[in-house]
Amino acid sequence: MENKNYLFPDFDKLIFGGDYNPEQWRHTPEIWDEDMRLMKLAHWNEATLGVFSWAELEPQEGVYDFSVPDAIFEKAEKNGLKIILATPSGAKPRWMAEKYPETMRTADDRHRALYGRRHNHCFSSPVYREKIANINRLLAERYSHSPALLCWHISNEVNGECHCEHCRRAFVEFLRKKYDNDIEKLNLQWWTRFWSHRYDNFEQADPPSSIGENAVHGLTIDWKRFVTAQTADFMKHEIAAIKEYSQKPITTNLMGFFTGIDYRELAKTVDFVSWDNYPNWELPWGDVGQASWIGMTHDCMRSLKRKNFLLMESTPSLVNWKDINKLARPGKMRISSLQAIAHGSDSVQYFQWRKSRGSSEKMHGAVVDHYGKEDTRVFSEVAALGEELEKLSAVAGTKVISKAAILYDWDTIWALQDMQGMQKNSKKYGEATHLHYGAFHRRGINVDLIGRKDSYDEYDVIVAPMMYICEEETAGRLASFVENGGTLVGTYAMAQVNENDLCHLGGWPCGVLMDVFGLRAEELDTLYPEESVKINAYGEEYTAKDYCEILKVKDATVLGTYGSEFYKDTPCFTVNEYGKGKAYYVAFRDKSGTFTDKLIGEIAADKKLPTAINGKEIPKGVTAKIREGAGEKYLFLLNFSGKGQTVELDGEYTVITTGEKISSVYLPLNGGLVLKA
Ligand code: GAL
């Protein structure tokens, strides 16, 4: 059993806290003492300070005012509260936009934005970079020695792109470097002889635009990579200024499956990942699917660094920005929070501590409402969870260990979005990923979501749904994985293009993968949404929708065939022995998940993947997850099924909060328990 891996060497508890904006109340500072009293009652041990507070810290250029953070740090030290200190780059002061218009963002139609909102800066602007480095340095110098400082939080949910001249220049340099300053290399990879779009030199390589070039897929995918690289570069710039004075760990809060930035690249710049989770609970059709989707998102966030993460934001009750902003029902916030921990979070944090009085988020849920006191349902639920998390301290630093992985790549999202074909506007890559994820999740099997370029060494099973982008090198690594005994699952649209979105000549799946799967795919049929195709496999009938690929099988064993259409009786599901391993190919999109469930069930049994409760059925809609470390195993049971459920355990467990010994448990609606094996 491996040891624990704490995110912070000096903090061995679960973090419980969230966004705190005392600057909104600087005209009534007595409220800060009330905040401290209430935070104690809520069992908060952390507050995230400084998000979007630049105008408070630097009200005029070069004029600084640290009186609010000074006061809060002092109170935090006295009250044993930890501070996660944010850098303020997510929103800038009005004077900066006025004096330095270049700090504003330029849209893809080349119009510069006006001042307003947040996340509205240019990440290439030398002035913006200089200004943020200054303020970060001052913050780090001032607070690095405070015992209250836990770690750094860079900016807030970084996102967006800018099309100004600074950014254009940086893009040109990015391309020069990537294509060895050889424009013909670029022309070939971008296939620019098509429609006479050849470039004569790098200076012509303008960023894509809705009113200009947007049909060259090599350009659009390289631009997205540039946006990631430039965001990461800006992040490194912010971090370097902090590091001059503080060696505390650094994170930035991500947004789950946000598609604008390759989070796997961005995660390389920080010490650990954190993310903001705002599920759609209380759905008319139930929360089972949503719980599984959120589980997958947590697993993706954890897998970015294969390390525990923080749940940096969640709501204690409701949000204000969805079309319908429904209250989380009693108990739901608790199991949603425990779900994050079950999947590898070492914190539960909220947006926000106190509801702001005015402006756009005044109706967003908070621990303390405009009412201002502690006798509310939401406050009571928060305080009860805080007390419970104190009893669950031993879970902090334990790990989620997975023997199965699903490949999930931002490159693939981008290339599928661009590709004009299949279902043009929505290829449903996320849904395809979730279809496979769900089959592991239902069984309580831990699974990582890794990138194709990550190491495959720790895994026995790899599933690669719709792995459209695959270069020869990745194909070779997948081949070695199978050769050495791994089980690989590939699906339709596998390995059709290289990393620059150029189709592989010789067919798909590319190169050695044809030997690995023992077949090649010849055509891909896209169905109208109301159509389906019969599938015969495992002696049963299943249903395909959306996509059916027509295969030419060479060495593979046929396990399933199409039951209708002009490709009736041709193979649609195969397995091939390759070296010591096996490679399955599923040529169609499974409609309901029943086929995928059967397949993953068989593979899990064959590879003896550990399940949360050995040999027992987990009721539908109950999440069962294991975290382990330092000789201990913790079982999380969380009931998202919408009704009471009895769970039979595979032995005697201890309920951590009560010490009670149990071997079966009744979980009421929205109930959950953490048990020790
Ligand atoms: C997040 C953001 C917070 C707050 C919250 C509201 O995306 O980081 O600052 O706006 O949403 O749900």
Side-chain angles (χ1 to χ4, degrees):
M1 196 80 71
E2 289 172 75
N3 281 327
K4 291 190 180 187
N5 190 4
Y6 295 116
L7 292 177
F8 316 106
D10 48 358
F11 200 82
D12 59 358
K13 294 187 269 260
L14 295 166
I15 292 167
F16 189 55
D19 273 32
Y20 180 39
N21 295 101
E23 63 278 355
Q24 288 179 22
W25 307 92
R26 71 188 300 163
H27 56 292
T28 51
E30 57 285 0
I31 218 169
W32 300 338
D33 287 324
E34 178 63 356
D35 285 337
M36 293 299 136
R37 183 187 77 81
L38 290 171
M39 281 182 193
K40 259 197 199 142
L41 286 181
H43 297 265
W44 266 35
N45 56 28
E46 179 273 339
T48 307
L49 209 61
V51 180
F52 307 128
S53 63
W54 201 338
E56 298 295 317
L57 300 171
E58 193 177 356
Q60 294 304 323
E61 186 173 15
V63 176
Y64 299 100
D65 177 357
F66 294 102
S67 54
V68 176
D70 280 357
I72 302 301
F73 262 93
E74 202 190 310
K75 289 181 199 302
E77 285 169 22
K78 272 198 204 126
N79 289 283
L81 187 71
K82 290 285 177 194
I83 299 286
I84 294 183
L85 188 54
T87 66
S89 56
K92 65 166 125 12
R94 217 171 268 276
W95 59 257
M96 197 186 301
E98 224 167 59
K99 183 155 181 202
Y100 305 105
E102 68 151 89
T103 61
M104 299 303 298
R105 215 165 255 187
T106 299
D108 89 328
D109 62 2
R110 312 306 192 241
H111 279 98
R112 186 182 278 160
L114 304 178
Y115 179 80
R117 297 170 291 127
R118 51 183 179 174
H119 306 299
N120 51 8
H121 62 272
C122 164
F123 47 32
S124 306
S125 155
V127 177
Y128 201 68
R129 285 181 173 224
E130 182 200 317
K131 297 290 175 203
I132 192 65
N134 282 346
I135 190 79
N136 285 4
R137 246 180 239 120
L138 290 170
L139 285 169
E141 188 180 12
R142 199 168 186 95
Y143 302 112
S144 62
H145 300 297
S146 167
L149 180 67
L150 187 65
C151 68
W152 292 95
H153 171 304
I154 303 295
S155 201
N156 190 78
E157 294 186 343
V158 291
N159 67 81
E161 51 189 61
C162 176
H163 296 249
C164 74
E165 183 54 21
H166 286 301
C167 290
R168 192 192 70 80
R169 282 241 53 80
F171 182 49
V172 165
E173 290 317 308
F174 172 88
L175 295 175
R176 276 190 203 282
K177 200 161 159 213
K178 174 165 178 188
Y179 295 102
D180 304 323
N181 210 11
D182 179 349
I183 198 66
E184 289 318 324
K185 268 195 188 168
L186 176 146
N187 276 317
L188 199 59
Q189 288 301 310
W190 289 10
W191 209 248
T192 57
R193 286 202 161 82
F194 178 78
W195 286 357
S196 267
H197 284 204
R198 256 183 54 78
Y199 290 84
D200 302 320
N201 57 62
F202 281 90
E203 290 302 319
Q204 295 172 337
D206 277 347
S209 167
S210 49
I211 54 163
E213 186 66 276
N214 57 29
V216 176
H217 293 166
L219 163 71
T220 45
I221 198 162
D222 270 344
W223 169 254
K224 288 186 173 112
R225 289 185 182 127
F226 164 77
V227 169
T228 291
Q230 200 70 349
T231 307
D233 190 63
F234 187 84
M235 187 72 62
K236 285 188 206 153
H237 178 78
E238 283 214 47
I239 291 171
I242 300 282
K243 293 254 156 145
E244 286 178 33
Y245 294 96
S246 172
Q247 296 316 311
K248 294 278 180 179
I250 293 187
T251 190
T252 190
N253 52 341
L254 308 180
M255 295 179 278
F257 290 118
F258 172 68
T259 57
I261 295 171
D262 182 342
Y263 275 164
R264 211 161 269 123
E265 288 303 313
L266 191 67
K268 290 179 185 159
T269 64
V270 293
D271 296 310
F272 65 92
V273 160
S274 57
W275 85 281
D276 302 344
N277 179 30
Y278 294 101
N280 297 316
W281 292 136
E282 320 305 345
L283 295 162
W285 48 88
D287 290 342
V288 176
Q290 180 70 171
S292 173
W293 181 273
I294 296 298
M296 177 169 88
T297 322
H298 285 307
D299 286 343
C300 181
M301 295 292 97
R302 186 193 64 248
S303 306
L304 292 176
K305 287 189 94 73
R306 297 196 189 176
K307 194 175 181 179
N308 290 359
F309 61 92
L310 294 190
L311 174 67
M312 189 60 86
E313 288 181 24
S314 59
T315 176
S317 53
L318 80 178
V319 296
N320 70 329
W321 45 265
K322 296 190 179 176
D323 288 345
I324 310 284
N325 297 292
K326 193 169 176 179
L327 286 177
R329 273 26 188 174
K332 188 52 76 56
M333 182 277 290
R334 173 176 171 265
I335 55 167
S336 181
S337 304
L338 289 175
Q339 186 191 20
I341 299 177
H343 286 261
S345 173
D346 276 350
S347 79
V348 172
Q349 290 160 276
Y350 302 106
F351 177 87
Q352 52 188 333
W353 168 249
R354 188 182 276 281
K355 264 188 186 169
S356 54
R357 188 162 181 202
S359 219
S360 75
E361 289 184 328
K362 60 180 180 294
M363 294 304 174
H364 192 289
V367 179
V368 182
D369 214 314
H370 297 133
Y371 167 62
K373 300 196 188 122
E374 63 267 39
D375 55 333
T376 63
R377 176 184 74 92
V378 171
F379 191 96
S380 310
E381 284 199 29
V382 167
L385 178 62
E387 195 174 356
E388 182 176 1
L389 294 186
E390 283 167 359
K391 295 184 185 142
L392 299 180
S393 290
V395 174
T398 58
K399 298 178 190 170
V400 175
I401 298 169
S402 312
K403 301 307 285 171
I406 297 178
L407 297 188
Y408 181 85
D409 271 301
W410 270 262
D411 276 349
T412 303
I413 302 169
W414 296 336
L416 285 173
Q417 259 167 15
D418 277 348
M419 184 240 275
Q420 286 142 295
M422 299 174 76
Q423 287 183 339
K424 188 162 153 277
N425 295 321
S426 169
K427 313 285 188 308
K428 300 201 188 109
Y429 175 56
E431 282 86 338
T433 308
H434 186 237
L435 191 77
H436 295 85
Y437 178 86
F440 291 106
H441 184 67
R442 272 193 288 285
R443 293 178 166 78
I445 297 172
N446 289 346
V447 53
D448 289 349
L449 259 71
I450 62 168
R452 69 187 193 281
K453 292 184 178 162
D454 284 338
S455 157
Y456 307 149
D457 289 352
E458 291 156 35
Y459 304 107
D460 296 334
V461 175
I462 292 181
V463 182
M466 294 184 86
M467 192 196 183
Y468 176 62
I469 281 204
C470 181
E471 49 284 270
E472 299 278 351
E473 197 218 327
T474 301
R477 292 180 56 238
L478 284 172
S480 312
F481 169 76
V482 181
E483 204 168 3
N484 294 324
T487 296
L488 174 67
V489 180
T491 78
Y492 55 94
M494 172 127 197
Q496 280 191 285
V497 298
N498 77 359
E499 69 279 16
N500 293 317
D501 211 351
L502 272 187
C503 291
H504 288 293
L505 300 180
W508 85 92
C510 75
V512 67
L513 286 179
M514 285 191 196
D515 299 331
V516 173
F517 290 110
L519 52 75
R520 74 180 175 85
E522 195 165 272
E523 290 182 274
L524 196 161
D525 191 20
T526 301
L527 308 176
Y528 289 107
E530 41 286 303
E531 289 178 321
S532 57
V533 168
K534 283 191 191 130
I535 300 294
N536 298 311
Y538 294 119
E540 312 252 345
E541 201 170 88
Y542 298 93
T543 310
K545 65 174 234 176
D546 298 342
Y547 303 125
C548 296
E549 238 177 28
I550 303 172
L551 303 179
K552 283 278 150 75
V553 171
K554 196 168 153 241
D555 304 315
T557 306
V558 177
L559 299 176
T561 52
Y562 290 111
S564 54
E565 265 305 335
F566 79 91
Y567 31 82
K568 185 171 188 292
D569 296 331
T570 69
C572 64
F573 171 42
T574 62
V575 66
N576 193 39
E577 312 251 333
Y578 184 81
K580 289 191 245 154
K582 285 183 194 165
Y584 291 86
Y585 198 87
V586 180
F588 60 95
R589 177 174 280 171
D590 173 24
K591 181 171 183 208
S592 61
T594 47
F595 168 83
T596 310
D597 194 59
K598 173 97 177 149
L599 169 64
I600 298 297
E602 286 221 331
I603 292 174
D606 180 41
K607 300 302 282 184
K608 299 189 175 53
L609 296 179
T611 57
I613 312 174
N614 285 322
K616 302 278 180 188
E617 269 288 303
I618 300 166
K620 187 164 182 260
V622 171
T623 290
K625 293 287 294 177
I626 298 278
R627 278 183 67 160
E628 56 194 284
E632 303 290 358
K633 256 192 182 187
Y634 300 97
L635 171 63
F636 288 71
L637 293 176
L638 307 167
N639 182 8
F640 292 99
S641 72
K643 54 179 192 257
Q645 296 283 2
T646 299
V647 185
E648 299 296 333
L649 303 170
D650 52 349
E652 196 177 73
Y653 286 77
T654 309
V655 180
I656 301 182
T657 45
T658 62
E660 192 192 346
K661 308 261 186 227
I662 55 169
S663 53
S664 107
V665 60
Y666 176 75
L667 300 173
L669 166 76
N670 292 338
L673 274 184
V674 188
L675 307 171
K676 201 162 108 171

